[in-house]
Amino acid sequence: MKVLVIGAGNMGLTYAEAMSKSKLLKKRNLMILDSSPEKILSLKKISHFDVFEKLEDCLPKADLIFIAVKPYHSEELFAKIKTMANPGQIVISIMAGVTISTMQESMGIPKVVRAMPNLPAQIGKGVTSYTASAEVSRIELLTIENLLDTTGKSIYVSSENFIDASTGISGSGPAYVFYFMQSMMEAALKMGFSANDSKVLVSKTFEGAVDLFNQSDLSPNSWMDRVASKGGTTRAALDSMEDNNVKELIKEAAYSAFNRAVELGEEK
Ligand SMILES: NC(=O)c1ccc[n+]([C@@H]2O[C@H](COP(=O)([O-])OP(=O)(O)OC[C@H]3O[C@@H](n4cnc5c(N)ncnc54)[C@H](OP(=O)(O)O)[C@@H]3O)[C@@H](O)[C@H]2O)c1
């Protein structure tokens, strides 16, 4: 199997690096294409995969085409792909808001997978939701899942609606966690801790809580009950959050991202 990654930006390079290190691809079966001459030059110096600057030199050789350009570049790219694609090729797109039917029509390729990764993919700890057109076989889906798993964990969802929904949870989610971290760091600074101590206190608290959660079957509610005792300090903080409706506000924020993802798809 030969894979072509189009777009050597943050995400494209992340996936190219991860896939090329996996046992799924034999050496030099990973091609990468970018439109920026400077990027191509620097990639050629460091890359252990084949780097291309022209679509016609690499697209016909690819079994799997992984598209990682910004959505506003997609129309022009699709039109070019259409002139040289064959219907047996498989497209995986991580572009936000670009629907499967748009891609099928614009590229003349029936087999399309739409995926939504998140930023921790850069360190192999991402989570990617994905779905596919009916033309993609179960065996092909298994291979694709294994490729997506090279950047963390992937989850198959039954429809594109869940891709937009996961944008509101895992896609945008790292920013919600950073928001919470920033708030706690600001509180620590106000209490008199140094910037470095605030950072360590907050980041280790997040890391430890997530590790605890992952090592048990307990729900977050049960863990909260274990930390908080009646009349104690943690209960005072949790009561303050409940009184201020923080949980509802977080849910509302996640829905705002979900709705925006749907809107962006409709604008295309
Ligand atoms: N970053 C995230 O956390 C995240 C999460 C989920 C989904 N995504 C999706 O991932 C996609 C890529 O995001 P990114 O942050 O990696 O973008 P990026 O850093 O801007 O990378 C895109 C790269 O593609 C190149 N490019 C543009 N048109 C091209 C063409 N026709 N042929 C070959 N290369 C082309 C760009 O070159 P120029 O710079 O010269 O234009 C750039 O190097 C986006 O569609 C985004 O919606 C990103």
Side-chain angles (χ1 to χ4, degrees), residues 138-158:
R138 288 179 79 98
I139 292 174
E140 287 165 338
L141 264 188
L142 204 65
T143 307
I144 285 154
E145 178 161 314
N146 285 328
L147 282 175
L148 294 174
D149 279 350
T150 58
T151 59
K153 171 98 192 105
S154 62
I155 290 176
Y156 175 79
V157 294
S158 55

Side-chain angles (χ1 to χ4, degrees), residues 231-242:
T233 57
T234 312
R235 184 53 61 201
L238 292 176
D239 285 349
S240 162
M241 289 192 212
E242 284 294 296

